[in-house]
Amino acid sequence: MTEAPDLPDLSPEDSHPRAVAALTDPFFWSLTEETAPFGNETAHETLAAFRDFRDEHPTTSPLQLLDALLERWEVDNAGWNAVDAAEVQALGEQDEYSLLTRDEAILALAFSQILTEGRLDAEVRRRALLALARQALPSLLSAFEGRALERALRIDRMRAVLSERWD
């Protein structure tokens, strides 16, 4: 049996004041709630990697980190603009792992940057908002079964936060 990986630290006390002011819902601070931006292993790794990346590369685009993570995970780095239900369905049938992991990673990256820096790169925001549009599709919400409505409400809340001014 393998040992569970260490979870990254996630608390308002260690976050940017702008993030604390905007992320008022408790689910934003959960590392275990699957409907939250940090509630999966992809997000845990992305958060930890972003913190390390910023220590080593304080001014480099976070998209460089995203590209490296996706390559390491063997995730297709394409399909970012797909939001049409039929197109997303086709992507999922072709490579469900890449579709879901890519969305988890970009959402975690967006919220990691907000937590760490109190700002958000414009292209990271754009991709994260597209990921939320995909995640709000009935075909992807259905994976949350009895929690689909809760997930949809949290997607709306995440969309609202990402749509705020973060420059």
Side-chain angles (χ1 to χ4, degrees), residues 71-85:
E71 183 178 340
R72 184 171 74 214
W73 297 329
E74 298 179 10
V75 169
D76 188 26
N77 193 355
W80 289 106
N81 295 326
V83 292
D84 173 74

Side-chain angles (χ1 to χ4, degrees), residues 9-105:
D9 291 328
L10 181 63
S11 70
E13 294 79 26
D14 297 326
S15 299
H16 194 281
R18 291 187 68 206
V20 175
L23 306 178
T24 57
D25 301 273
F27 82 91
F28 282 114
W29 303 98
S30 175
L31 292 167
T32 58
E33 173 53 53
E34 66 180 357
T35 63
F38 295 109
N40 56 69
E41 289 181 29
T42 301
H44 301 162
E45 190 168 340
T46 302
L47 174 59
F50 181 75
R51 288 173 171 163
D52 291 344
F53 179 77
R54 271 299 176 244
D55 287 344
E56 296 173 21
H57 309 284
T59 60
T60 303
S61 169
L63 293 173
Q64 286 190 18
L65 170 65
L66 179 66
D67 291 345
L69 290 172
L70 295 178
E71 183 178 340
R72 184 171 74 214
W73 297 329
E74 298 179 10
V75 169
D76 188 26
N77 193 355
W80 289 106
N81 295 326
V83 292
D84 173 74
E87 188 177 1
V88 173
Q89 181 72 29
L91 284 172
E93 289 171 3
Q94 179 185 351
D95 186 357
E96 182 180 37
Y97 170 73
S98 286
L99 173 66
L100 298 177
T101 304
R102 188 172 47 245
D103 283 357
E104 290 171 351

Side-chain angles (χ1 to χ4, degrees), residues 120-156:
L120 182 58
D121 177 88
E123 180 61 13
V124 171
R125 176 200 320 254
R126 187 186 78 80
R127 291 185 190 188
L129 288 169
L130 290 168
L132 289 172
R134 283 188 294 276
Q135 293 297 310
L137 292 171
S139 60
L140 293 180
L141 280 176
S142 67
F144 289 88
E145 298 172 346
R147 301 185 69 199
L149 177 59
E150 178 183 7
R151 173 65 171 172
L153 293 171
R154 289 182 174 178
I155 286 171
D156 286 345

